[in-house]
Amino acid sequence: MKMKKYIYNFNEGTAEMKDLLGGKGANLAEMSNIGLPVPQGFTITTEACNMYYEKNHKLWDELIGEINIKIKELENKTNKTFDDKENPLLVSVRSGAKFSMPGMMDTILNLGLNDDTVDALAKNSNNERFAYDSYRRFIQMYGNVVMNIDKNKFDEIFDGFKVKTKVESDTELNAETLKDVVKEFKKLYKKETEKEFPENPKEQLLLAIEAVFKSWNTERAVIYRRIHNISDNLGTAVNVQSMVFGNMGDDCGTGVAFTRNPATGEKKLFGEFLINAQGEDVVAGIRTPLDIEILKDVMPEIYRQFAEIADLLENHYKDMQDIEFTIEKGKLFILQTRNGKRTVEAAVRIAVESVGEGKLNEEEALLRVDPSQIMHLLHPTFDKNILKNTKPIAKGLPASPGASSGRIYFSAAEAVIASKRGEQVILVRQETSPEDIEGMVEAKGILTSRGGMTSHAAVVARGMGKCCVAGCEAIKVNENLKHFIVDDKVFNEGDYISLNGSSGNVYEGVIPTLEPELSSQYITLMSWADKIRRLRVRANADTPKDAAKAVELGAEGIGLCRTEHMFFEEDRIAAVREMILSDNVEQRRAALKKILPMQKEDFIGIFKAMGPRPITIRLLDPPLHEFLPKDDESLKELANEMKIDFGKLKIRVEDLKEVNPMLGHRGCRLAISYPEIAEMQTRAIIEAAIYVKKEEGIDVKPEIMIPLVVKPKELTYIKDVVVKIADELIKESDIELKYLYGTMIEIPRACLVADDIAVEAEFFSFGTNDLTQMAYGLSRDDAGKVIEDYLNKKILQFDPFQSIDRKGVGRLMKLAVELGRKQRPDIKLGICGEHGGEPLSVEFCHGLGLDYVSCSPFRVPIARLAAAQAAINKKDLS
Ligand code: ADP
Ligand code: MG
Ligand code: MG
């Protein structure tokens, strides 16, 4: 039997092999193959990682054998040997999962160093300082990653030496001091692990590989995957790569650069570098890195080469790249490339401009933008007029655009607590690290005093679409004392500040915000989306203001106009209560008569705002007791107002109480009991429509929707009421007015008998909130706790109230679609639950062949883009 292959040399892989080699490994392979200067190496597959877990967290003999063979090959290719006293092989051990997880997994550099090889390195490089600098870094990384020794303990020793020798920067420590650092590091290692530091490179390597496998399941990696919806069983690959050195002197360096600006999308190299530095120095915020532009002056030839490679990589991958490089003694090496993380502003601009440059077609460009991120473009910005007259207290780097105000907190934990209390939180740190993730998720904005545009805070904030100002050196952050000082002014925990992530400015207090301006690239992209999508997009809107907003954001109609929201308005709730508390039909009609003109006014406003676009209006839905006060105090007031006896009122209110109101007297059941309510509402709708058509010449298209139907007879009964009134009014009016009569499909029984229901209904609108609630037998209002437990225990993969449960609820929908169409081929089909603005659910609705989705106004752009992507991907969902 042929043994399974667990290791691939870089020249054996391709960019397509991300599942097996991880993103980093696959791209290292691709770059090697297109002839870029990538140090040699090999990748241990994600399958090996999973096998490691299957084998009870132990490296097994076959794998170790294969590693030994690959090391031999690497030694031959590089002419260097592990543990050689003359010419030792040194490698990096780098994690790399299918999806890049910045800062989540740990990398070890300079592996292979020990007390002998360090001297060889010193001799060969003629640079003892460099050799010991590499050695101390290795012991620290190894001690931290493999043996879990607290990083800070190393830093304390290191900083102690800096103080003792009176130097500011790491690079000023000389060889002798670094030797002492190494000694102290080893002492610390022994104290913490009760073992000597391993001198044998093979042993170092195996333990390091194992540590990378283990890092797949560290808490922070698990949290990151949960936030980003990445599966836990992908595993990570391990890359073993021969070292190149950016820390050998002033003709060396290391850096990271994006081929375009990841915050704005501008087409211009964007990045940072450090001279005489290694690995993560640039992103770790140890020294403040230099702008990549400066490389042009310091090392013009290297800059030219790098710019050329950056261009080549972008063209090759047809996407903006995030590239890591190292310069060793005047020679450029590329150590990583990946599709760069970017803000949604940048994503939109890059996608649209790439079409202009002929790199992408419109469909490809549309797939480049995450629909759920589009919302961030609609978020407010600071009022420019107020900004003009407000002096910032400090200015940092504009790391991730947006505007946010809030109270400052200095630790992730406190940020989380404050946010859960309902506060708007700004997380302030010297520099964030992966441990801060949860705090960053909760914060409205992030401010750091150290680190550059590619620092952890900047990268993660951009990924989350969150406002961030980084490297704001003017503020002195003291995390222990929970304050920062700027210009002698102290800002304490809980104080308000405002951040402008687009300019880097930091302000005292809260600054008012304005609606954003949409970029021309956004408008272009959305016009492509509208051209390609088949699904129509409507909005759920109950007021003229919401309706106008929806149209502005691209809604093509209203899919759900709830009439009860209008009932709550202060000037009409009294009449509504009077109607509810009436003893008989006459009284009720009298009360309804008072409501009619107000309701009519509402519809006139909405019809005008929507113009000729279709508008689905749902007749009264909630249980009536929702309109009544709950406590005796307010009831007494009401009794006074209505001049009725409190005792009598109380009895009536008790009467209306239900044990299970969501399953009670609501929806169409109200109209069956009190047809005069449906009568009044129909009158208001049709009279308003006639008025607007006559006065404004707008071809109004009302669609009257009956909620909570389970039997066709309900529809027949109410239809008699609705049609009678409507047709009478239209006849009297002398104008032509078309309206539709249809129903919500939101109870499983309605799905099962949808063919019979379609006899009476000209349209179905899936109310997937209730449909999910009833399909799961899980109350929407109490589901939170259950769903959280189910998600944590992996019984649920996602929250079915957020994304349609295709298997169950989706199956009910599919059945209703089929039965409905069979009965009435031209039946209009839509969805008006919360799901209508969630990309995966939109995709599902496209696959079902619905005519439209309807969602809240701010989610309309999400739905438009998601519908376009669904049309492009043409996934078969049946
Ligand atoms: P991450 O996934 O956190 O970016 P990497 O594996 O890319 O981790 O490595 C961290 C840093 O070490 C990067 O800056 C990278 O360029 C550097 N590095 C990794 N391997 C080598 C190597 N063989 N020679 C020199 N530098 C390396
Ligand atoms: Mg890292
Ligand atoms: Mg990297």
Side-chain angles (χ1 to χ4, degrees):
M1 200 181 79
K2 196 163 166 282
M3 242 172 38
K4 192 172 178 72
K5 181 174 167 74
Y6 282 113
I7 308 183
Y8 290 72
N9 285 331
F10 288 167
N11 58 13
E12 292 176 302
T14 68
E16 276 68 54
M17 292 165 71
K18 291 199 173 67
D19 283 328
L20 192 62
L21 304 179
K24 196 180 288 168
N27 285 335
L28 283 168
E30 185 84 5
M31 288 195 293
S32 304
N33 289 330
I34 57 178
L36 296 185
V38 176
Q40 309 257 19
F42 55 82
T43 304
I44 306 173
T45 63
T46 53
E47 288 177 352
C49 175
N50 288 332
M51 186 55 81
Y52 169 80
Y53 282 103
E54 257 173 56
K55 301 225 181 226
N56 289 323
H57 308 198
K58 263 190 117 83
L59 298 180
W60 60 105
D61 289 346
E62 289 84 3
L63 184 70
I64 294 174
E66 210 178 333
I67 292 170
N68 286 331
I69 293 171
K70 290 293 171 188
I71 284 291
K72 235 307 69 64
E73 285 176 29
L74 190 58
E75 288 176 337
N76 291 339
K77 282 186 208 162
T78 56
N79 264 328
K80 293 178 179 170
T81 312
F82 253 173
D83 211 14
D84 194 86
K85 311 288 180 282
E86 306 278 324
N87 201 10
L89 171 68
L90 302 180
V91 296
S92 63
V93 177
R94 318 172 64 187
S95 61
K98 176 175 182 185
F99 302 105
S100 87
M101 297 165 56
M104 290 294 137
M105 320 288 286
D106 293 306
T107 293
I108 298 168
L109 302 178
N110 311 328
L111 187 141
L113 281 175
N114 57 32
D115 289 347
D116 296 329
T117 53
V118 71
D119 285 333
L121 188 64
K123 217 184 290 154
N124 294 342
S125 62
N126 208 359
N127 188 340
E128 196 174 36
R129 182 200 175 277
F130 148 69
Y132 280 89
D133 183 52
S134 304
Y135 198 18
R136 62 96 188 168
R137 289 167 186 270
F138 172 49
I139 298 170
Q140 170 160 358
M141 282 184 262
Y142 191 90
N144 174 246
V145 176
V146 180
M147 305 307 288
N148 287 320
I149 304 172
D150 186 353
K151 257 194 202 116
N152 292 324
K153 293 190 174 161
F154 289 104
D155 285 341
E156 270 164 30
I157 295 174
F158 193 70
D159 290 340
F161 276 100
K162 284 200 328 203
V163 172
K164 207 157 74 188
T165 56
K166 299 200 180 67
V167 306
E168 284 269 319
S169 160
D170 299 3
T171 49
E172 294 169 63
L173 289 174
N174 64 25
E176 287 317 307
T177 314
L178 288 169
K179 278 185 193 174
D180 291 337
V181 172
V182 164
K183 272 195 204 119
E184 290 303 314
F185 276 12
K186 284 196 166 181
K187 264 193 214 151
L188 174 68
Y189 184 96
K190 181 153 185 203
K191 185 170 146 238
E192 295 284 322
T193 64
E194 292 170 358
K195 278 185 228 149
E196 295 292 339
F197 186 77
E199 296 277 325
N200 178 342
K202 279 256 167 80
E203 185 188 336
Q204 293 172 353
L205 179 66
L206 293 183
L207 283 166
I209 290 170
E210 220 181 315
V212 174
F213 285 162
K214 282 194 184 125
S215 77
W216 176 252
N217 272 337
T218 55
E219 200 184 322
R220 59 191 211 204
V222 173
I223 290 174
Y224 185 91
R225 288 201 292 274
R226 197 174 340 125
I227 295 170
H228 293 265
N229 240 328
I230 296 172
S231 157
D232 283 329
N233 45 31
L234 296 174
T236 178
V238 186
N239 302 288
V240 177
Q241 184 175 32
S242 76
M243 285 300 302
V244 289
F245 297 99
N247 57 336
M248 265 196 199
D250 287 343
D251 54 352
C252 303
T254 183
V256 266
F258 293 80
T259 54
R260 300 183 194 228
N261 185 316
T264 65
E266 187 192 0
K267 185 168 197 266
K268 185 167 172 236
L269 268 187
F270 176 94
E272 292 159 333
F273 73 103
L274 277 173
I275 292 293
N276 197 10
Q278 186 174 49
E280 309 245 86
D281 289 4
V282 174
V283 286
I286 296 165
R287 277 189 277 155
T288 302
L290 305 172
D291 194 304
I292 191 90
E293 283 287 297
I294 297 173
L295 188 64
K296 210 189 257 176
D297 305 325
V298 200
M299 299 182 179
E301 175 54 19
I302 293 284
Y303 181 85
R304 195 195 57 73
Q305 284 175 23
F306 181 73
E308 198 176 292
I309 288 175
D311 228 33
L312 184 149
L313 281 173
E314 191 182 278
N315 287 329
H316 186 76
Y317 285 99
K318 293 207 218 162
D319 199 359
M320 183 257 265
Q321 295 296 295
D322 167 0
I323 306 168
E324 292 177 3
F325 62 95
T326 282
I327 305 150
E328 179 183 295
K329 295 214 155 285
K331 184 168 169 15
L332 174 67
F333 292 92
I334 305 297
L335 288 165
Q336 188 174 342
T337 194
R338 61 181 167 213
N339 295 339
K341 291 206 188 302
R342 65 204 77 181
T343 61
V344 62
E345 286 88 344
V348 169
R349 177 164 172 185
I350 292 170
V352 171
E353 291 188 352
S354 296
V355 173
E357 292 161 21
K359 287 182 176 148
L360 300 178
N361 62 33
E362 291 176 7
E363 296 198 347
E364 288 168 327
L366 282 165
L367 294 176
R368 286 295 166 80
V369 180
D370 177 355
S372 54
Q373 294 281 312
I374 277 280
M375 277 231 316
H376 296 303
L377 290 178
L378 311 172
H379 285 166
T381 56
F382 288 134
D383 185 335
K384 286 203 184 70
N385 289 323
I386 293 179
L387 275 196
K388 242 186 268 162
N389 303 316
T390 315
K391 210 171 127 357
I393 52 170
K395 187 176 170 80
L397 301 168
S400 181
S404 62
S405 300
R407 309 177 81 154
I408 52 175
Y409 288 92
F410 293 87
S411 78
E414 264 142 351
V416 171
I417 294 168
S419 166
K420 297 257 145 96
R421 270 201 301 268
E423 291 179 25
Q424 311 272 357
V425 169
I426 305 281
L427 178 64
V428 183
R429 306 277 295 160
Q430 289 190 349
E431 165 66 39
T432 63
S433 73
E435 283 83 17
D436 295 326
I437 285 286
E438 278 178 298
M440 297 174 80
V441 170
E442 290 294 327
K444 291 280 169 286
I446 296 152
L447 171 63
T448 66
S449 57
R450 287 207 224 139
M453 291 294 275
T454 51
S455 63
H456 180 266
V459 172
V460 174
R462 281 197 292 272
M464 294 177 178
K466 196 154 282 187
C467 164
C468 173
V469 173
C472 187
E473 290 176 20
I475 68 163
K476 302 292 166 227
V477 175
N478 192 321
E479 287 159 6
N480 292 325
L481 296 179
K482 301 183 185 176
H483 70 214
F484 71 73
I485 302 178
V486 57
D487 288 341
D488 293 334
K489 190 173 158 91
V490 183
F491 287 77
N492 291 303
E493 181 180 77
D495 288 350
Y496 283 95
I497 63 166
S498 297
L499 301 180
N500 184 342
S502 314
S503 67
N505 282 334
V506 182
Y507 301 90
E508 185 174 355
V510 176
I511 295 185
T513 51
L514 284 181
E515 298 293 302
E517 275 170 40
L518 294 169
S519 70
S520 68
Q521 288 96 356
Y522 166 85
I523 291 164
T524 305
L525 189 82
M526 294 311 277
S527 74
W528 296 340
D530 293 343
K531 202 166 61 185
I532 282 169
R533 69 187 158 88
R534 185 193 56 72
L535 269 179
R536 305 283 94 199
V537 176
R538 297 194 189 184
N540 300 346
D542 310 333
T543 63
K545 188 163 156 264
D546 283 355
K549 185 87 220 164
V551 170
E552 187 191 317
L553 294 173
E556 299 165 289
I558 289 180
L560 176 63
C561 174
R562 306 173 186 87
T563 48
E564 60 269 17
H565 285 189
M566 306 165 174
F567 281 24
F568 279 108
E569 306 230 329
E570 225 173 298
D571 53 339
R572 52 191 79 165
I573 185 78
V576 172
R577 285 170 173 168
E578 201 183 311
M579 182 267 288
I580 293 170
L581 297 169
S582 307
D583 287 330
N584 53 53
V585 188
E586 283 69 44
Q587 266 185 28
R588 201 158 30 247
R589 280 190 194 280
L592 284 164
K593 222 178 192 155
K594 292 186 197 163
I595 304 171
L596 173 68
M598 302 187 245
Q599 181 114 82
K600 185 173 155 189
E601 274 312 304
D602 295 327
F603 293 132
I604 289 176
I606 289 177
F607 289 155
K608 281 186 185 168
M610 292 308 290
R613 301 172 185 85
I615 301 166
T616 308
I617 299 161
R618 179 177 73 185
L619 299 192
L620 194 63
D621 183 52
L624 295 180
H625 62 79
E626 281 193 12
F627 298 98
L628 297 177
K630 307 231 161 5
D631 56 303
D632 279 5
E633 205 58 35
S634 326
L635 269 183
K636 268 183 198 146
E637 254 175 58
L638 183 63
N640 273 341
E641 264 169 46
M642 296 182 60
K643 299 187 181 64
I644 47 173
D645 179 52
F646 167 69
K648 232 177 106 186
L649 179 65
K650 181 121 175 130
I651 291 172
R652 180 78 180 110
V653 171
E654 288 297 325
D655 252 9
L656 283 170
K657 267 214 185 110
E658 290 174 309
V659 176
N660 216 336
M662 282 314 260
L663 301 176
H665 200 191
R666 57 175 281 230
C668 68
R669 296 158 199 174
L670 292 171
I672 305 267
S673 301
Y674 313 113
E676 27 327 323
I677 300 179
E679 232 174 82
M680 181 280 288
Q681 292 200 294
T682 306
R683 191 176 284 280
I685 295 167
I686 299 296
E687 281 183 3
I690 290 169
Y691 173 84
V692 172
K693 189 156 185 181
K694 264 195 182 157
E695 297 299 312
E696 311 270 331
I698 297 173
D699 186 18
V700 189
K701 295 194 188 74
E703 303 173 346
I704 297 175
M705 179 159 77
I706 312 302
L708 220 74
V709 164
V710 289
K711 286 181 76 81
K713 277 212 175 125
E714 291 168 326
L715 277 180
T716 320
Y717 181 86
I718 299 167
K719 194 177 190 176
D720 283 346
V721 177
V722 168
V723 168
K724 190 162 151 260
I725 301 272
D727 289 358
E728 231 168 61
L729 288 170
I730 293 170
K731 208 162 139 210
E732 281 169 18
S733 78
D734 261 4
I735 61 162
E736 250 193 83
L737 180 80
K738 288 219 169 57
Y739 68 95
L740 296 183
Y741 180 77
T743 181
M744 282 219 11
I745 299 285
E746 51 186 334
I747 297 183
R749 188 177 198 279
C751 297
L752 300 171
V753 300
D755 42 356
D756 292 344
I757 288 180
V759 174
E760 296 290 13
E762 291 170 294
F763 64 87
F764 286 172
S765 175
F766 289 99
T768 47
N769 300 340
D770 262 311
L771 190 58
T772 302
Q773 163 170 271
M774 296 199 215
Y776 273 82
L778 179 58
S779 156
R780 261 154 82 181
D781 305 309
D782 309 306
K785 180 84 194 67
V786 176
I787 289 186
E788 195 184 315
D789 285 351
Y790 272 45
L791 288 173
N792 285 337
K793 303 201 168 164
K794 305 226 156 79
I795 290 167
L796 278 176
Q797 241 53 54
F798 58 89
D799 177 352
F801 287 101
Q802 278 176 29
S803 190
I804 285 178
D805 154 42
R806 297 184 182 194
K807 257 218 141 119
V809 175
R811 199 176 211 173
L812 286 167
M813 291 170 73
K814 187 163 184 271
L815 181 67
V817 166
E818 282 164 10
L819 293 176
R821 281 232 169 91
K822 203 164 79 193
Q823 182 66 255
R824 187 190 282 267
D826 65 343
I827 191 166
K828 207 169 188 183
L829 299 168
I831 170 179
C832 62
E834 282 304 306
H835 300 95
E838 189 275 328
L840 286 171
S841 307
V842 172
E843 181 187 56
F844 181 71
C845 292
H846 173 89
L848 270 187
L850 299 193
D851 296 300
Y852 68 86
V853 296
S854 185
C855 56
S856 64
F858 274 100
R859 291 170 93 188
V860 164
I862 300 181
R864 286 161 72 197
L865 183 56
Q869 295 188 347
I872 295 165
N873 287 331
K874 293 190 196 77
K875 275 206 200 123
D876 182 15
L877 298 166
S878 40

